[in-house]
Amino acid sequence: MKTETIKGVELAYELTGSGDVPLVAIHGSWSSHETWSQVAPELSERFRVLTYDRRGHSASERPAGQGTQHEDVDDAAALIERLGLAPAYVVGNSFGAEVAVLLAAERPELVRGLIAHEPAFVWLLRDRPEFTSMAAEAEHAIAPVLALIRAGDHAGAAELFVETVALGPGTWAHLPDGMRNRMIENAPTFLDEENAPDNGRIDLRRLKDFGGPALLTLGDQSPPMFAPIVRIVAAALPQAEVLAFAGAGHIPHATHPREYAGAVTTFIDKHEG
């Protein structure tokens, strides 16, 4: 992997494909650029694809001290600019989808189009009476995961997160060894993300200035909190579509790669004419 140093932090990345349309893929918590391995080859046949390890994950540097979500936004913006990819279609999953949405809000000139799967903006549910219990349940489920990370049980934390927050009971044992190992390795950064003062916060009013097309996606087997979050974010965007993947959950690019890559390609082709 190649590296770029952004504000003193070394980020590892891969740039593949030679198409005219650039696509930047931002992974979620616990993960790395390898989460896109099942869709990147197909997407690279059509697009110039950037995948990278976010700060604190896998091959990228893990800086000391409390981080912020906006550091991730700044990293994405800097990579797009340094590598000459602006404006790019920006694809994100979970926490990476949050980064993608925030990038569209804060640096719209860098984002040609937005494709976000289940951004985890749980904060958006707290002030809506019909969803407050849902937000509380999500936060209650995450609390013991964070406690295990603080205690140094990264493997236990990763398994608990998968089984009770992200994918559902019995799924940890069926994940590939490489994915499980990456999650264990990156557990400390999940704690850092959850402790960040700006974690999951967005001023939806800023999305009105994003004039590009947006595709918000969800899985019909995902935890129930994601559906209202997707609807709320989509409603704040001037040009948004919503797509549900049948039979899929929180990581369709890994579990349903053909359908996911097809949806991304179809969306981009439609808007690139």
Side-chain angles (χ1 to χ4, degrees), residues 8 18-19 48 54 71 77 82 98 128 130 136 139 148 158-159 166 170 174 176 179 181 198 229 242-243 245:
S18 56
R48 194 176 182 208
R54 292 193 293 107
E71 288 175 334
R82 295 242 189 123
E98 294 178 51
R128 292 168 168 81
E130 67 271 37
E139 291 165 357
L148 287 174
E159 180 175 356
H174 298 289
M179 184 179 294
N181 291 337
D198 60 347
I229 294 172
V242 175
L243 172 68
F245 290 105

Side-chain angles (χ1 to χ4, degrees), residues 93-204:
N93 172 256
S94 194
F95 187 98
E98 294 178 51
V99 174
V101 172
L102 288 165
L103 183 66
E106 298 176 12
R107 299 293 305 275
E109 77 280 6
L110 299 180
V111 182
R112 195 166 180 161
L114 170 67
I115 304 170
H117 184 81
E118 297 183 348
F121 289 121
V122 180
W123 177 77
L124 290 175
L125 304 180
R126 292 177 183 168
D127 296 329
R128 292 168 168 81
E130 67 271 37
F131 300 127
T132 52
S133 61
M134 191 179 289
E137 288 173 9
E139 291 165 357
H140 179 74
I142 287 175
V145 175
L146 302 181
L148 287 174
I149 299 174
R150 293 189 189 98
D153 186 0
H154 297 170
E159 180 175 356
L160 188 64
F161 178 80
V162 167
E163 303 248 330
T164 64
V165 179
L167 301 182
T171 52
W172 174 255
H174 298 289
L175 295 180
D177 289 343
M179 184 179 294
R180 291 201 299 263
N181 291 337
R182 282 193 298 276
M183 292 189 69
I184 294 168
E185 172 190 25
N186 293 321
T189 304
F190 180 71
L191 178 62
D192 183 78
E193 291 170 352
E194 288 295 308
N195 286 338
D198 60 347
N199 178 45
R201 294 183 177 273
I202 182 172
D203 183 350
L204 292 173

Side-chain angles (χ1 to χ4, degrees), residues 249-260:
H250 196 48
I251 50 173
H253 54 286
T255 61
H256 294 67
R258 180 174 296 179
E259 293 89 340
Y260 185 83

Side-chain angles (χ1 to χ4, degrees), residues 78-98:
L79 284 172
I80 290 171
E81 291 178 314
R82 295 242 189 123
L83 299 175
L85 301 177
Y89 281 87
V90 180
V91 178
N93 172 256
S94 194
F95 187 98
E98 294 178 51

